[in-house]
Amino acid sequence: MISAFFRSRWLGQVPIDQLFWRDMMLVATLISIASSATALILLGLKMPLWLVLAVHFAPVPYNLFLTMAVWRTAGSSGAKASLMMLGSALWLIATLVV
């Protein structure tokens, strides 16, 4: 089931709107926010810095995957897809910085 989720996105079988808006902007953003909030709580509890950083950056591989999936899916589409490619790159930068 999980492998089908990743495979369908990697192969461009998911509509670009669903991939960009639901998977990336909604779900992955919520995961990143939850991860950052948990990391801040751990920091407040004086947990080791390596643990705080590991929790904070845990969603990065998933975020990279989604960004690359958007780029692969949008590669053969029109202007709307090009904007989604730009949006996904900016979103990835924002999730890495914040």
Side-chain angles (χ1 to χ4, degrees), residues 2-88:
I2 292 175
S3 63
F5 173 87
F6 287 101
R7 185 180 307 113
S8 64
R9 277 138 186 86
W10 188 252
L11 296 176
Q13 298 170 341
V14 175
I16 187 73
D17 287 332
Q18 177 183 336
L19 179 62
F20 182 79
W21 290 110
R22 190 192 73 187
D23 294 351
M24 178 179 276
M25 290 299 166
L26 180 62
V27 175
T29 298
L30 290 175
I31 290 171
S32 293
I33 290 169
S35 175
S36 294
T38 303
L40 284 173
I41 291 168
L42 293 175
L43 187 63
L45 294 173
K46 307 287 187 207
M47 299 303 283
L49 184 59
W50 66 265
L51 179 62
V52 173
L53 292 175
V55 169
H56 178 71
F57 290 112
V60 169
Y62 181 62
N63 294 344
L64 285 170
F65 168 78
L66 286 177
T67 301
M68 292 180 351
V70 166
W71 279 63
R72 288 173 57 93
T73 303
S76 60
S77 302
K80 177 181 169 184
S82 296
L83 287 174
M84 288 182 176
M85 290 172 70
L86 175 61
S88 68

